[in-house]
Structures are given as C-alpha cells and as structure tokens.
Amino acid sequence: MQEVARLNDLGERDKAADTLDAAMKRAEAERESIYTLQLDQDRVRNDAQAAADRIIKHLRQSGLNGGLGLAVHDELIHWRTTGDRDGKPFDLQVALALAKINYDRAKGGQKGACFIRLRELP
C-alpha cells in the first residue's frame, strides 16, 4: 500500500483510489478461489459437515438477499440437484447437512415451513 501513499503524496488521489479498488478485486478473487479449494478439500476428506459449515460461513460473509435461511435453502437445492444429476453422493450429503442446519436454525413456525420446503425438493 506504499503505492497508494505515494500516489496520494503526489496528489493523484483518483489513481490511489483505483489502485485500492484493483487490490480489493484481486483479494476478492483470491478469497473465492481459496473457498473453492477448501470445498474441494472437504470433498477429498469426505467431510460433508465441514463443507456445509463452510458454505454457511461463506453465505454470512456475502450480501444476502432474503436472509440466511433462504440462501441456505437455495444452496441445498443446488447441491442436491448436482448430486442427483451427476451421481455424486458427497453433494447429496452436503445438501442433507445444509437442510439439517437450516432446520435447526429455524424457530417456531419456521420449522414447519422449512420441513415442508424440504419435502418439496425435486
């Protein structure tokens, strides 16, 4: 970040801001790449619960539209669909772990709605 300080000292504030924006893009891309590798490693270790926990953590760090419960539900549908389509038992185990997490997080009437949504999965 010495470059940012140098640019600011030269009065190049817009270039300094652009430099920071570019650094943030690289960091975000690296973060996503590491996340994908972590999920791959969870698959190698056959640890569906670790993958589900990692997905939840990743979702919490992302901007969520509709809340965590809906985001987890969308993820479990993705994992289940991939598992069914490609015959990947690990993906089905991740979907099940996500469903359990979502159900355990639900409160009151949400538990029933969560259970109904699970039963309606393709």
Side-chain angles (χ1 to χ4, degrees), residues 30 61 83 92:
E30 185 172 343
Q61 293 171 342
L92 296 172

Side-chain angles (χ1 to χ4, degrees), residues 30-119:
E30 185 172 343
R31 180 179 175 272
E32 286 301 309
S33 188
I34 291 169
Y35 169 69
T36 300
L37 289 171
Q38 287 174 315
L39 288 174
D40 290 345
Q41 190 63 32
D42 292 336
R43 182 183 303 277
V44 168
R45 293 171 45 231
N46 197 31
D47 193 343
Q49 187 61 52
D53 292 341
R54 190 175 316 286
I55 291 165
I56 299 290
K57 181 179 179 183
H58 187 261
L59 289 172
R60 281 191 173 124
Q61 293 171 342
S62 305
L64 297 174
N65 294 327
L68 184 60
L70 185 56
V72 172
H73 182 72
D74 291 345
E75 277 292 317
L76 77 88
I77 289 173
H78 166 76
W79 284 85
R80 181 173 178 197
T81 301
T82 302
D84 281 343
R85 183 189 63 226
D86 300 340
K88 295 181 176 178
F90 180 78
D91 291 31
L92 296 172
Q93 292 170 353
V94 172
L96 181 59
L98 288 169
K100 287 179 182 178
I101 290 170
N102 228 18
Y103 181 79
D104 290 344
R105 286 186 65 257
K107 294 179 175 61
Q110 294 175 335
K111 282 198 182 283
C114 183
F115 181 70
I116 289 168
R117 285 195 312 255
L118 290 176
R119 292 191 62 185

